[in-house]
Each structure stands twice: as C-alpha cells, then as structure tokens.
Amino acid sequence: MKHETQLARLGLFDAKVPRYTSYPTAPHFSGAVDDRTHAGWIAAVPEGARISLYVHVPFCRRLCWFCACRTQGTTTLGPVEAYMDVLEAELALLRDRLAPGVTLSRLHWGGGTPTLLDPDQIDRLAAAITEVAPFAENYEFSVEIDPNEIDLPRAQALKRAGMNRASVGVQDFDPQIQAVIGRDQSYETTRDAIEMIRGQGVLSLNADILYGLPHQTPERIAASVQKLLSLAPDRVALYGYAHVPWMARRQSLLPSDALPTPTERLRLFETARKLFRWDGYAEIGIDHFATKDDGLAIAQRLGRLRRNFQGYTDDPAEVLIGVGASSISRFPGGYSQNAPATSSHTAAIRDGRFSTARGHAFTGEDLMRGRIIEALMCDFEIRTAELVTDFGAAPETVARLFTQANGAFEHGLDVTAEALRIPEPMRPLTRVIARFFDAYDLSSADKPRHSSAI
C-alpha cells in the first residue's frame, strides 16, 4: 500500500503521458512535412540498404467497440478491392523512388484486419511488395490475424507470401467481457486458428491481451492469461486499455462505470505480469513478455531492443516506410504520415503523388531526447557515454539533467556518473519518467483519460 501511495503521488494514476512509440509523438506532427519531403527521404535511402515496410489495411468485418485504431467496417470486399488498387499504385510510387538493391528486413501487415483479404488479394499484395524490394536474409514478415477472420486458404496464401510470424489478437477470453467490448472470440476459435497457422509451418506467434477492460478482475484476467499460456505464444503484448471515447466514438458503447479504478488497473497488470513471469517469460520493457529464445528477449540481452509504432522490436533497420491510409514512416530525417482518411489517401495516390499529410523533421535535441526516452522505455537506463559520444552532449549537462530528473521523482532513481537507471520498484512510472525528458508541450495532446499513465 505504501508503494502504491508513492506511485500515486508521483503521477502514475493521473499523469497524461504518451506511449512513446515515437519522439516527438504524433500529436506534434505538422503539415510542414509534405509529399515532397516524404519522396525526398525515400530517395535518400542508400543503395543496398535494409529497410522495414508497414502495410495498413484499415477494414474490418466488424468494429470492436474497445478499439481506437483508424478502421472502417465493411460487409463486402468491394471497398477492399478498390483499396488494393490504391496500395498497388502506392507501392509502385515507392518502387520507382527507392535506390537499387534495397531489401526488406521487416514486413508487417496491420489493420484493421489484414486477414480480411481473400487469397487472390493476398497474392496480389505480396507480388506488389516483392516488386518494391525482396526479403533480406533473416527477414521477419508478420501479419495481424483475427481468429474469426482466417481460414485455411488464407493461411496458405500468407505462408506462400512468406509470412513467418503471426500476431493474434486475443484481448480477453471471458465471455461477459467479450460481449461488453463487442468481440466474440472463444478460446476454441483462437486455439483452432493458431493450430491452423502452425500447421502451415509458421511457428513464431505473437499475442495481444488487454488489461483495464470493463468488469475485469484479477481472477478473470488470471483465467484469460492461463488460457493464453496454454497456447504457448512466443511473445505477448499486455496493453492497457485506453478509454478515449472523444477520439473513438465506438468506445462510448462501453460501460464507463464498469471500468476498473486506477489502483485496480495496476493490480490487474501485476496479476498478469506475475503469471507470465512464473511461466518463464522474460519481461520486455513496460508491457511485453517473450520466451528466452525469442528475438525480443535476445535483443534485450544484447542491448539492441528498440521501439517503433508497432511497440518493441528487434528490427535493426533505420528506415521504416508506412504504406496505406494513416501509415507513419520513420527516416533518419524525421517522420511522415499518410492522410488518415481513405478517400484523401486514394485521391493523392491516383494523382500520382504520396498522400503525406503531416510529419516532423528532426531539429535541435530531438534525436538525443528521443534516444533517452527510447532507452528508458527499452532498458530502464540511459548511459552518459552514449549521449556524449553519439550526440556530442557535454558530461556536465547530462549530469545536471539526470540530477534534475532524480529530484523530480523524490530521488527514487539510480543516478551515477555513468548512467541514470530506473530501479524495479519505480518501473511502473517509466512513461512518466520518460515524459520528464520530453521537451514538447504535452498540453496539446489528447484530453485526460481514465488511468492514462498505466
């Protein structure tokens, strides 16, 4: 109880903090970055470079009420077919601007529901991507899979396309909670989908599960976690549900009075965390777990863990290019984001240009502060030598910044001449601590939401 009181005092339960999958975060992007900037950054990718590619498919057969992603429902494949034409045209624009010899280190199809595509559409999309760049050695190709929206022909098509990692959405197995969040997905349906995927030789499996949902209790989340563990995923993302009905109107269908309190959210997280740890999973950053031989666990041990818009990653590529409506790209020079509306994105591509609507070109201390935040989110420490060597920071400046951060958190951090570290009891505050190093005004970010810091 004393520990929870200290965490509350330091802002865990009421601080408004980003997830820091980028720095600066997306609310600080502006229209100063446009399609010409984006095209120039693509053209600057060196010949023979390894890059990552993200393809966004924004359609779902059903819209889950908890989801705040940019998606749209469809009962037919007509809109999906039209969108496929746009994706092929956008990939052709990308192909024509990339230097020769570029290969794909990582490929991810996200959504929405990428498995809404039928086998022919999967084949078409895979062929269009291959024309942009072939897979690099030791590549990883992952696809977000809805167990309700996958069958053997589609699983075979994905395997044929080169998929070697599946990312399965679970959220919660409790029937009452599923009914409340608008996602009917039984354990048996999930198990059968996973067995089908593994039957195709795709042995690497990710799974997502949520805490902080209406009616969740420690007993209920424990039951869901134990069912998930019986499916033996290699990697699990334990995300906190963000209740933001002013951004995602469908969330207003959820009973807000049944949401757990901030303290209850923390206990839900700790319940799930202990179960993953007891089952031998390594704890990765603030909300991921992985088996000891998974790429994330290896990257963590080697100090190579990174963070991007898909969360934690072991991807070594410096360039991530997003394709599709609302996709975000990262280049050495900054971020660029496609138009979020499918109609605006389509219009730009049909006009023969990228749909870049906004972004951010790195200036000043962006790269250094971004690295501090990423290191804290990944490794719970940032070393002085890295900031001095890689960013030219003066040791005394770094020391002063670390001392100020320590003071802001009641001297609960571990600060030495070599590094700033977040000790384990303070790690629930990692995002709050990371915010201390954020030089941008967060008052322009989203309105306060229920338990935004955990």
Side-chain angles (χ1 to χ4, degrees), residues 20 66-67 78 154 179 246 281 291 301 305 330 357 379 427:
Y20 286 117
F66 70 89
C67 182
R154 283 181 282 184
W246 53 88
Y281 283 74
T291 56
R301 291 196 296 270
L305 190 65
R330 187 196 191 281
D379 305 316
R427 288 180 184 175

Side-chain angles (χ1 to χ4, degrees), residues 345-417:
H345 176 70
T346 296
I349 299 301
R350 287 179 176 170
D351 194 38
R353 56 186 175 83
F354 294 109
S355 76
T356 312
R358 60 184 193 142
H360 178 85
F362 295 134
T363 60
E365 296 180 340
D366 283 347
L367 291 174
M368 184 183 76
R369 288 181 176 271
R371 177 55 193 152
I372 292 173
I373 290 170
E374 181 184 51
L376 293 176
M377 296 287 290
C378 291
D379 305 316
F380 303 111
E381 74 168 22
I382 179 65
R383 301 189 68 82
T384 300
E386 180 179 356
L387 302 180
V388 172
T389 302
D390 294 352
F391 302 100
E396 57 272 18
T397 301
V398 175
R400 183 167 58 253
L401 186 62
F402 287 179
T403 298
Q404 291 170 347
N406 199 22
F409 293 94
E410 300 181 351
H411 301 281
L413 308 180
D414 180 7
V415 175
T416 66

Side-chain angles (χ1 to χ4, degrees), residues 54-63 67 69-74 77 79-81 83-84 87 90-91 107-118 121-122 125-126 129 141-144 149 158 322-327 340 342 345:
Y54 171 80
V55 180
H56 186 60
V57 180
F59 299 96
C60 293
R61 190 90 61 186
R62 54 176 185 169
L63 294 177
C67 182
C69 297
R70 290 191 176 276
T71 59
Q72 57 193 85
T74 181
L77 284 179
V80 181
E81 183 65 23
Y83 186 74
M84 280 292 302
L87 284 180
E90 185 179 5
L91 287 164
L107 171 62
H108 184 77
W109 293 6
T113 309
T115 49
L116 191 70
L117 303 179
D118 65 28
Q121 291 170 331
I122 291 171
L125 182 55
I129 291 170
F141 172 19
S142 56
V143 178
E144 294 176 13
E149 197 65 59
L158 289 169
V323 173
S326 80
S327 290
T342 304
H345 176 70

Side-chain angles (χ1 to χ4, degrees), residues 19-39:
R19 295 189 183 276
Y20 286 117
T21 53
S22 70
Y23 182 80
T25 56
H28 299 291
F29 292 179
S30 75
V33 170
D34 58 16
D35 60 292
R36 290 169 294 183
T37 311
H38 181 74

Side-chain angles (χ1 to χ4, degrees), residues 191-205:
R191 178 200 62 203
D192 293 347
I194 288 173
E195 289 179 354
M196 179 195 307
I197 293 162
R198 285 176 169 156
Q200 297 304 306
V202 180
L203 303 181
S204 297
L205 177 73

Side-chain angles (χ1 to χ4, degrees), residues 259-278:
L259 290 168
T261 67
T263 300
E264 289 169 343
R265 280 175 63 97
L266 178 61
R267 292 172 184 169
L268 289 169
F269 175 83
E270 288 297 329
T271 298
R273 172 181 177 266
K274 288 176 181 177
L275 288 171
F276 288 122
R277 293 294 301 272
W278 286 341

